[in-house]
Each structure stands twice: as structure tokens, then as C-alpha cells.
Amino acid sequence: MQRISKILLYYKFLPISDPKAVMLWQRELCERLSLKGRILISEHGINGTVGGDMDACKEYVKKCKEYFGRMEFKWSEGGAEDFPRLSVKVRDEIVAFGVPGELKVDENGVIGGGVHLKPAQVNKLVEERGDDVVFFDGRNAMEAQIGKFKNAVVPDVTTTHDFIAELESGKYDWMKDKPVISYCTGGIRCEILSALMKNRGFQEVYQIDGGIVRYGEKFGNDGLWEGSLYVFDKRMHTEFGMGIEDPGFVQLGHCVHCGTATNKFENCGNLDCRTLTLMCSACAEDPMKRTCGKEECANVVMQTVEK
Ligand SMILES: [Zn+2]
Ligand SMILES: [Zn+2]
């Protein structure tokens, strides 16, 4: 009989008084069930992606719910083979914003975060308030190159760590009294980001239940979302609805070298850089062009090719 396997994605914000004990329990549980993947535990909660046999996944979900209470799990295609190993770690933060002391959680989750909107409520808010509504991208700027909400503001961040400086820079003060919808891939980053924004004077902050993933599942390419969704696995990107064939699909990304529409990221060919860069397949296959576009990287690549 063919074995069916799955990948589980989940997070929950709740106070964990002894993260180390939870880490040891989770490690033992995953090892016993032959699950692989990556789990982070902090005093504020747990965030994980694990893969394995369907039965093992079901048992894992049951055990987690017994311990943590109500939790949502997203089931997706894949299995243990999609991960190199099992990694279960204790960290100061389950998402690294660099402000572990600022985040406050209780049994209901993050305290003082943005109002949760279901996908349909996002559209309703925009219908009611029109151009006043600001979409604020809670991801790394690179992710937004291939897809984002219409007219979204994309902060200049390379990693989540950069958000605090961005929010405090004054650049976004103009939106402090506007309705702001923060959004990210699956919702976890905005649970924290929306609270950090409110703490810094943003008056009316929202976040999307289930993030872009759930919005896209509901509205595909016919809503306020445009383009592809960057994902953190070997696919690198995914599309909603019928994908790029969909009449409503908008290709936002362009090859950094020739401008051809593309949603494919490649690492810069300079091994000291390796910056993920949008490249069309023709440019990516040309060893002289396979760079992030910086002159120093072009020089390095040229020297390597000439050798
Ligand atoms: Zn190109
Ligand atoms: Zn480079």
C-alpha cells in the first residue's frame, strides 16, 4: 500500500513558562513519530513546519491540541523527505523582530495586536473606506517583487529585524491615522508586527486571518491581490487560481537584466553575495549575467568565467 504523507504548518502564541521542557517533549514526540522539519519555541509560543506519514501527522496534531489547546494546522502536500532533518529549538522569539521584551501574550494570543479581518472583510473595508485604506507589507521587500496587494506600501526591509527602524524612521507617519491592513504570508509575522505598529502610534491597524495564503485561496486573482506568492521552500513561488494562465493574473516581477516578466528568483552567481534576484531563464543560464546586478558581483562573475 502506498503511504500517504503530509506537511503541517502551524503557530500559536501563548505563554510558555518552560520553553526548554516543551522543546524536549516536542523533540521526543517528533522522533517517535518519525517527523522531520523545523520547530521554534519561545516564552511567547510555538511555530513549526513538520512533515511525515499521514497517521503520524494526525497523532502529532492530537498531542499538540491536548497540550496547547485550540490550534489551527495547515495541511499541505509533501512529507518528511522535504526536510533535511528534525530541528527543535528554543529561541528568544519565534519570529525574529529583535524585540523579545516588547511582545506580550496571554492565553488568547498576542496582546494589543491588529484587528483580525477575514478575507471577505478585507474587501469590505476597502469598499467602505476606499483609497484611505493602506496595505502594509509585513514581509521582506524582496518577497513583494513578485506579488503584493494592490498599491501596497512595501517597507525597505531585508530581514524582519529591520522593521523596528523602519517604523521609527518617520517614513510611515502619514499613515498613522489611516486604516492600515498589515499582511504577510500566513499571518504569523503580522501578529507581532501589528502590535509593534500600534505601540508606535499607528491608530487603526488590521491583520488578515491566515494571511495572503487564505486571502488567495478565497479570491484567487480576482480580488485585491496581484501576482505570485513567495514561499520558503524549493518551489520559491506559488500562484492562486489557475496560476499564470488565469486572465486575472498580473506578472509583477521582471528580470533584473533584460526586463522580461518573470517570477523566478535565482541566487547571485557571486558566492559571497548569493542575493536572491529575479532573473529570466535565459539570463540565469548565461554565466556572465547570473548576478544580482551589482557591478562588483558582475566583476567577480566575469573573472570566474574567464578562468
Ligand atoms: Zn533576462
Ligand atoms: Zn550579487
Side-chain angles (χ1 to χ4, degrees):
M1 196 188 88
Q2 198 198 343
R3 300 192 73 95
I4 303 167
S5 64
K6 286 283 177 188
I7 291 176
L8 295 170
L9 295 92
Y10 62 90
Y11 67 83
K12 179 163 182 173
F13 288 96
L14 82 169
I16 296 180
S17 56
D18 190 348
K20 178 130 188 264
V22 171
M23 179 268 281
L24 294 171
W25 162 64
Q26 280 280 321
R27 185 178 286 165
E28 189 272 334
L29 176 64
C30 290
E31 281 171 356
R32 181 165 63 77
L33 296 170
S34 301
L35 296 173
K36 283 187 182 174
R38 181 176 148 86
I39 300 168
L40 294 178
I41 297 147
S42 78
E43 288 176 5
H44 309 120
I46 180 166
N47 174 22
T49 312
V50 294
D53 285 348
M54 177 72 112
D55 289 345
C57 287
K58 282 184 182 162
E59 178 68 10
Y60 181 77
V61 168
K62 183 163 156 269
K63 292 289 181 207
C64 284
K65 285 183 174 171
E66 279 171 17
Y67 191 91
F68 297 116
R70 221 182 77 87
M71 259 177 108
E72 273 186 56
F73 288 85
K74 180 159 178 56
W75 294 74
S76 69
E77 299 307 315
E81 65 279 5
D82 289 296
F83 303 93
R85 67 185 76 84
L86 173 68
S87 160
V88 188
K89 286 183 177 147
V90 172
R91 286 281 160 81
D92 287 342
E93 301 173 287
I94 52 175
V95 187
F97 278 89
V99 284
E102 188 176 335
L103 186 65
K104 299 280 178 283
V105 301
D106 66 12
E107 297 303 327
N108 299 314
V110 173
I111 299 171
V115 175
H116 286 261
L117 297 177
K118 296 208 164 20
Q121 293 174 310
V122 171
N123 290 6
K124 192 158 171 280
L125 188 70
V126 173
E127 273 164 33
E128 288 168 1
R129 312 278 293 271
D131 289 345
D132 227 22
V133 179
V134 180
F135 282 99
F136 191 77
D137 204 303
R139 303 172 298 161
N140 304 328
M142 178 269 285
E143 297 172 59
Q145 287 175 5
I146 57 169
K148 60 185 177 63
F149 275 94
K150 271 178 198 143
N151 303 319
V153 170
V154 179
D156 181 18
V157 302
T158 308
T159 74
T160 311
H161 252 119
D162 303 333
F163 268 109
I164 295 295
E166 274 293 283
L167 292 177
E168 293 177 353
S169 69
K171 276 190 233 175
Y172 309 103
D173 287 359
W174 60 272
M175 59 172 84
K176 281 190 169 169
D177 58 357
K178 290 184 182 289
V180 178
I181 304 177
S182 64
Y183 67 89
C184 61
T185 315
I188 183 171
R189 288 181 271 185
C190 289
E191 295 271 7
I192 304 169
L193 177 63
S194 64
L196 301 179
M197 291 178 81
K198 286 178 68 182
N199 290 350
R200 282 160 184 77
F202 294 80
Q203 307 280 322
E204 192 180 349
V205 184
Y206 300 90
Q207 55 182 319
I208 306 177
D209 253 356
I212 301 161
V213 170
R214 192 161 308 152
Y215 185 90
E217 283 168 359
K218 173 106 179 147
F219 292 107
N221 298 302
D222 302 319
L224 300 166
W225 177 259
E226 288 182 332
S228 304
L229 172 62
Y230 182 85
V231 291
F232 294 87
D233 59 42
K234 53 192 173 209
R235 294 173 300 162
M236 306 281 289
H237 63 87
T238 183
E239 285 74 36
F240 299 114
M242 293 184 295
I244 59 170
E245 306 300 330
D246 202 315
F249 181 79
V250 184
Q251 180 80 274
L252 292 193
H254 293 279
C255 174
V256 65
H257 299 294
C258 69
T260 303
T262 181
N263 50 14
K264 195 147 172 18
F265 285 99
E266 305 279 357
N267 287 109
C268 173
N270 176 1
L271 297 179
D272 292 330
C273 175
R274 293 186 57 79
T275 302
L276 282 171
T277 307
L278 281 175
M279 279 178 233
C280 72
S281 51
C283 290
E285 279 163 24
D286 180 346
M288 299 285 273
K289 277 195 184 159
R290 200 191 162 92
T291 70
C292 65
K294 280 205 295 274
E295 199 181 334
E296 56 179 281
C297 293
N299 290 338
V300 169
V301 168
M302 211 179 298
Q303 282 162 14
T304 323
V305 173
E306 280 168 0
K307 264 179 204 161

